[in-house]
Amino acid sequence: MDTTPLGPTAFRAPAVLLSGAVDYDMYRDFHRQLGAAADREIVVVELTTLGGDPEVARMMGEDIRFNSAMDPDRRFVFLGKAAIYSAGTTFMSFFARPNRYLTCGTRLMIHERKMNKQFQIEGPLTTCIASVTATLNEIQCSIAIQNEGFSNLIQGSDVTLDEVLEKAPSNWYLEAEEAKRRGLIEAVI
């Protein structure tokens, strides 16, 4: 994989332009634009988002990972503009660290996954145990997926998983220059 730093001209006409909530509409738009860029050697994906669905971010990220593995001569580059929050940071974590760029003044926001679920226990006791166990399994699986994403994000940086786990519950914001200093991105442009 080519990890040569890119000059500003590489970002003049990104192949994929995304903004807004990370949701299924964004995924369809991403997939369409990614397919249209099949002939490009450098595929710049530009994103601005205040967050959204982490599973959609993972789907988009898996498309990046898959395409990178299937065609190692192509380079998939992330360009974050203004705000890369929550699911946007999850998506960024799927790009190789040397292929992550932010524009000046962009903020990253890293936080834990959230759950909003009403929990009601009702019925025969054995089925109550099954319901409680199922919810606990869902929480534990979500934490494991979250921590995999955190590990991808920090790979090659001086940020530790312990630091992310300490700061993420209260929404950790990093300005672009700090993200660069900490090794989470390649450069600020």
Side-chain angles (χ1 to χ4, degrees), residues 36-81:
D39 61 338
R40 291 194 184 200
E41 289 181 28
I42 297 175
V43 179
V44 175
V45 179
E46 180 182 300
L47 175 66
T48 300
T49 185
L50 297 178
D53 187 330
E55 292 307 319
V56 172
R58 289 181 64 231
M59 286 181 358
M60 292 174 12
E62 287 297 339
D63 285 349
I64 293 296
R65 186 188 328 263
F66 176 79
N67 278 281
S68 296
M70 295 305 294
D71 195 351
D73 293 332
R74 293 176 74 204
R75 186 170 179 187
F76 295 86
V77 178
F78 180 88
L79 175 61
K81 285 178 111 176

Side-chain angles (χ1 to χ4, degrees), residues 67-118:
N67 278 281
S68 296
M70 295 305 294
D71 195 351
D73 293 332
R74 293 176 74 204
R75 186 170 179 187
F76 295 86
V77 178
F78 180 88
L79 175 61
K81 285 178 111 176
I84 303 300
Y85 292 177
S86 182
T89 305
T90 298
F91 178 53
M92 184 183 82
S93 75
F94 282 85
F95 290 78
R97 210 246 356 118
N99 292 332
R100 297 180 195 161
Y101 293 79
L102 298 176
T103 60
C104 186
T106 296
R107 301 296 193 278
L108 295 178
M109 192 265 281
I110 303 165
H111 72 75
E112 286 190 344
R113 285 179 168 229
K114 296 182 179 358
M115 177 181 267
N116 182 8
K117 183 176 194 169
Q118 295 290 325

Side-chain angles (χ1 to χ4, degrees), residues 17 38-40 45 60 76 83 96 121 126 128 136 149-150 156 162 165 173:
L17 293 167
D39 61 338
R40 291 194 184 200
V45 179
M60 292 174 12
F76 295 86
I121 301 174
T126 55
C128 290
L136 180 59
F150 289 161
D162 286 341
L165 294 176
Y173 291 85

